[in-house]
Amino acid sequence: MSNLSKLEFVALDISGKNYLSWGNEASSQDKAKAMIFLRHHLDEGVKVEYLTVKDPLELWTGLKERYDHLKATVLPRARYEWMHLRLQDFKTQQYSERDFKKYSELISCLLVAEQHNTLLLKNHEARPTGSAPLPEANMAAKRDKSEKNTE
């Protein structure tokens, strides 16, 4: 299975133009590889529902029947929302100033920003604004002050 995941596959076109046709001439080994690949990319909930299906063509047909309507119902709305995506960052407008060409670039940037925000919140929770200074810093300041007074 590790060899199967290393292979590079061309993304399937939504129109179905580059779908491979299934044939009965596939060997049982090829069918097993196809099933491993298909199941590897299924959500856990969907995997459980199709657990008894042993033939890749039957699995593919079942999934197509189940989700094919999404091309007509969900896809147009998703494309519209993606084309008209407006990012809101009220402080700096840093995201809208960048021209993201790929969804993955946007997500990557947002994940980094979320990690920075989480770190800032943790730091703030550990030492909120206006809290007493750290003892080490307080002792060093008193020592410096006393040294100046003795001079």
Side-chain angles (χ1 to χ4, degrees):
M1 187 161 138
S2 63
N3 290 340
L4 187 61
S5 63
K6 291 179 185 176
L7 296 175
E8 290 189 24
F9 294 93
V10 176
L12 296 176
D13 189 272
I14 192 122
S15 67
K17 290 178 186 173
N18 65 346
Y19 291 7
L20 297 176
S21 60
W22 294 89
N24 293 334
E25 66 275 354
S27 69
S28 59
Q29 185 178 9
D30 287 340
K31 287 183 178 182
K33 285 181 183 178
M35 284 301 291
I36 290 169
F37 179 79
L38 289 170
R39 284 201 173 123
H40 176 74
H41 289 87
L42 288 178
D43 178 71
E44 289 301 318
V46 176
K47 260 186 210 179
V48 170
E49 290 182 41
Y50 290 94
L51 196 57
T52 59
V53 177
K54 303 294 182 199
D55 183 44
L57 176 57
E58 186 180 337
L59 175 60
W60 185 262
T61 304
L63 293 170
K64 184 169 177 17
E65 288 173 2
R66 181 175 179 165
Y67 295 108
D68 203 34
H69 71 282
L70 296 177
K71 285 194 289 187
T73 57
V74 176
L75 184 62
R77 178 73 180 167
R79 282 187 173 155
Y80 174 82
E81 288 178 358
W82 177 248
M83 294 301 294
H84 296 89
L85 179 65
R86 298 288 183 258
L87 300 172
Q88 296 179 359
D89 180 9
F90 298 109
K91 293 181 182 174
T92 63
Q93 295 292 319
Q94 64 181 340
Y95 302 119
S96 60
E97 289 174 4
R98 297 179 187 181
D99 189 18
F100 293 104
K101 299 292 184 200
K102 294 181 182 176
Y103 180 74
S104 60
E105 293 172 356
L106 168 65
I107 293 301
S108 177
C109 183
L110 291 174
L111 287 172
V112 169
E114 183 179 31
Q115 288 173 346
H116 288 178
N117 190 40
T118 303
L119 182 60
L120 288 172
L121 286 173
K122 284 182 182 178
N123 286 341
H124 176 71
E125 289 168 0
R127 302 273 319 135
T129 306
S131 61
L134 295 171
E136 305 85 38
N138 196 16
M139 293 303 289
K142 285 183 180 178
R143 189 174 346 117
D144 290 343
K145 188 177 181 180
S146 65
E147 286 175 2
K148 287 182 182 178
N149 289 340
T150 58
E151 291 178 353

